Amino acid sequence: MYVNESSDPVSVIPLSTNGETTLNAVWKQRKETWYIVEPGNEKNVIDMFTPRQFQEAIENGKYSFKW
């Protein structure tokens, strides 16, 4: 889970790509996996990451936070 400025755990994080496409990262605790999905169309999974892979995707610029 990621923590926002108010220190509350977040299970859905808005993201953007280099092409300015808006996506959501959804945390599934039971599977311990981040799912990257289109907003409003959560069944269309674009990527799946372990917590470490998700962190690397952010650090490497594949996705960026859109707070």
Side-chain angles (χ1 to χ4, degrees):
M1 301 276 266
Y2 275 77
V3 178
N4 62 13
E5 292 174 1
S6 65
S7 299
D8 296 327
V10 176
S11 59
V12 177
I13 300 175
L15 300 175
S16 63
T17 64
N18 288 341
E20 298 301 315
T21 301
T22 300
L23 300 169
N24 286 336
V26 179
W27 173 248
K28 299 291 185 179
Q29 180 67 38
R30 183 177 284 177
K31 295 186 178 188
E32 294 186 9
T33 302
W34 284 100
Y35 290 86
I36 310 302
V37 299
E38 294 178 350
N41 189 8
E42 285 74 26
K43 293 184 180 195
N44 186 17
V45 177
I46 296 171
D47 265 325
M48 295 180 353
F49 296 114
T50 65
R52 179 69 189 140
Q53 290 170 327
F54 181 68
Q55 180 178 347
E56 289 172 355
I58 297 296
E59 289 172 354
N60 294 333
K62 182 171 184 175
Y63 299 107
S64 60
F65 295 118
K66 189 172 184 175
W67 299 105

